[in-house]
Amino acid sequence: MPATSYECAGATGQRGAATEGVLEWPQPFAMHHGGVLERARCAWRLVGRAGAPVVLAMGGISGHRRVGAEDSGWWASVVGHGRALDTSHFRVLGFDYLGGSGDSSAPVRGGAPFPVVSSYDQAEAIGRLVAELGLGRLHAIVGASYGGMVALAVGERQPRVAARLLVVSAADRAHPMAAAWRSVQREIVRFGVERGDAAGGLRLARALAMCTYRTPREFAVRFAGAPRVDAGRGRVPVEDYLFARGESYAARYLPEAFVALSESIDLHRVDVTSLAVPLTAIAVREDQLVPLADMQALAARAPGSRLHVLDSIFGHDAFLKEGELLRPIFAECLEGTDR
Amino acid sequence: MPATSYECAGATGQRGAATEGVLEWPQPFAMHHGGVLERARCAWRLVGRAGAPVVLAMGGISGHRRVGAEDSGWWASVVGHGRALDTSHFRVLGFDYLGGSGDSSAPVRGGAPFPVVSSYDQAEAIGRLVAELGLGRLHAIVGASYGGMVALAVGERQPRVAARLLVVSAADRAHPMAAAWRSVQREIVRFGVERGDAAGGLRLARALAMCTYRTPREFAVRFAGAPRVDAGRGRVPVEDYLFARGESYAARYLPEAFVALSESIDLHRVDVTSLAVPLTAIAVREDQLVPLADMQALAARAPGSRLHVLDSIFGHDAFLKEGELLRPIFAECLEGTDR
């Protein structure tokens, strides 16, 4: 364990201690698209029984190192005791993305420009992290959304880091319509920054993003109520939800980090045609951001890969909402069984 | 003809004069959702041979009274000599929406709040317009997008105004996902207004709207190029297009009018269960804003209606781009033939 790791007070549970720390690299960290990070930092967290096979778990651009249920993490519906990624069987590694809103190297609010972040930069950090923590070859990398893109980048560039990849709703490149939605989100945040209200811009960008994470079918069911006129303007049932989500997001995340990782998604282009790590991919038919055809193209390009197709009213957010649908696929990929 | 009409200089063509004018109503115009318009104005334009059957043509919230090819209008691909709505056979009536960016009653830039606008208000204006111009019963109302919603409102409230309705990509209510997209657009414009840059907000709102008017398939074909890093930030091919369209829109349209008519779409709820005017509806399978299921529900609710389903890579914008696909349906509905 490196000198910068530390036991996390209060996070020691019955199924094994949580350990976390921050690696700091004294040599400049060269970024894929140019520029360097001086004294790059990478915050990580390991949860579960020492000695159990280690699985790195990564999610969307808002994901971070606190992953599972025992951590009240962002993927508590899928990662935890008895869940699809079972912390009784596996030790789970999480980390904060470079360029994100966590404790790894990241933009500073209103600060100097941060270098453009590539999924390859995350892969480089992961390779170093796994080596320096002495974890050997990871049992698997499980990644959804941006985390799935990063998993593919690791597979291409660092094939010895993990024995298998399990990727949900992420392809080897972004779809142009998804890039369109995101480019509007980024421009809204920039507009807010220029007009002195970055958080106001982020609130709107997140509200827009919510429309892309979910599906027309879910909104039709949840927000079927009649529109109304209130205080001289028209209102629709869905808007309270969208802006409440935007508001809460803007209170917790850094606008500059949102832009950096949103760009990173759209810049993502990896070559999986020589992928040497077994890949299991999961597509969601209703996903508006990662269409089934793109997941099929990924599977067609990656030698020996397997593609599973799910149906979910939650679309791109299925990875957060459909733990039970993911369970048998996770079991088969991670444990060679079909629980 | 009312006293306020006038011949439009330079708009007289070989297939008949263009006549336009502005009706002004001295009595307060009571709005459906409350409030009144004092001295309400309604700008209209008639193109084509006097004596030919008159068809009212309406489009999206950016549509206006200059409709067809002879007018360099917004629907030149569909309305004109030899086109789907053939100005050799029909006289075409256009008007500027109440609350829009034209010469009818509308919000004033940075001015006092304008009453909330309903599709029923447009219907009321149309009823008066047709009566005061002495046009008798219209041969048809052809409406696409918001114009289709207004056509349905006329059908419910003013069944004697037109002998038939031809509606493209518009239902009896808005879909909650489409309402979600639009509520974000309106909030962006309000954000711009609050931050002293209404046009900047409208630019972003229109860029977002473009993503909903078109389809993932079209963007995948047009914007398949690789992303790039430029001046320290990531860029995707689609964004130049989106923001150029947004920019040009913001230069021509009033932010307050955009918000008023966008709200009007989402407030639209008409009752077609007793519709007494024959209805032909056209759905576009790829439309992200008006899903096929909503057009099927419209047709199921409206007695004796007919539904045609088209496929178009242009999605909601098919009504602007697919004149050839529309032609036989228009011919059958308007002329009882299938050209």
Side-chain angles (χ1 to χ4, degrees), chain A residues 16-28:
Chain A
T19 314
E20 67 172 21
V22 180
L23 292 184
E24 191 174 291
W25 294 304
Q27 302 300 326

Side-chain angles (χ1 to χ4, degrees), chain A residues 187 195 197 203 234 263 266, chain B residues 187 195 197 203 227 234 263:
Chain A
E187 198 74 356
R195 299 291 154 195
D197 186 1
R203 166 181 173 268
E263 280 187 359
D266 286 333
Chain B
E187 197 74 357
R195 299 288 154 196
D197 186 1
R203 166 180 173 268
E263 280 188 359

Side-chain angles (χ1 to χ4, degrees), chain B residues 17-39:
Chain B
T19 313
E20 67 173 19
V22 180
L23 293 184
E24 190 172 292
W25 295 305
Q27 301 301 324
F29 185 104
M31 300 289 276
H32 177 75
H33 291 295
V36 297
L37 300 179
E38 302 290 350
R39 301 198 68 78

Side-chain angles (χ1 to χ4, degrees), chain A residues 181-251:
Chain A
W181 299 122
R182 281 186 294 262
S183 68
V184 174
Q185 293 166 38
R186 294 192 293 272
E187 198 74 356
I188 294 170
V189 174
R190 290 188 197 103
F191 182 68
V193 169
E194 283 162 18
R195 299 291 154 195
D197 186 1
L202 186 56
R203 166 181 173 268
L204 293 169
R206 178 67 176 187
L208 167 49
M210 290 309 303
C211 301
T212 68
Y213 295 152
R214 299 304 177 89
T215 67
R217 194 154 59 96
E218 192 217 358
F219 277 20
V221 172
R222 278 178 75 181
F223 304 111
R228 66 190 194 279
V229 173
D230 180 23
R233 50 172 276 206
R235 289 180 185 270
V236 289
V238 70
E239 68 185 88
D240 294 337
Y241 162 75
L242 293 177
F243 298 118
R245 294 296 299 265
E247 195 89 38
S248 122
Y249 191 86

